Amino acid sequence: RDKDDTWRAAIEKYQLDWVQLFNLTGADAPVLYGVSGYPTKFVLDKNHKVVFKVIGEDPIFYKKLDELINPEMIDSISLPN
């Protein structure tokens, strides 16, 4: 189990520029989010509801992103804080 400072240092060192989740509450985050393998990728709508989930490395994830994101949608996307 990583410590907060070790985790943050790795993010900076390896330039991991995607949204990160670090469990500070002790809750079992993989169980809460239905993670059964790594990596697990989620696509959220503007209300932060999961619209698509891919477990593992699969080209379908990127195809689905292409389908979901078009120029009209870019302005409507909001990321969780």
Side-chain angles (χ1 to χ4, degrees):
R1 304 254 172 199
D2 289 330
K3 301 287 187 225
D4 183 60
D5 57 340
T6 305
W7 168 68
R8 290 179 188 277
I11 290 171
E12 186 173 330
K13 178 179 179 180
Y14 296 107
Q15 301 176 348
L16 306 176
D17 60 352
W18 52 85
V19 175
Q20 301 285 323
L21 173 66
F22 188 81
N23 184 3
L24 296 174
T25 66
D28 195 350
V31 171
L32 291 173
Y33 289 94
V35 174
S36 61
Y38 296 93
T40 297
K41 300 176 187 111
F42 297 91
V43 175
L44 308 177
D45 68 12
K46 65 182 179 180
N47 298 312
H48 307 152
K49 301 289 182 197
V50 175
V51 294
F52 190 66
K53 172 179 155 183
V54 172
I55 300 168
E57 206 44 62
D58 189 332
I60 193 70
F61 176 76
Y62 303 100
K63 285 183 175 186
K64 188 66 174 179
L65 281 181
D66 287 342
E67 290 174 15
L68 292 171
I69 299 177
N70 59 55
E72 293 82 39
M73 288 184 60
I74 297 296
D75 292 333
S76 68
I77 295 173
S78 64
L79 297 176
N81 296 334

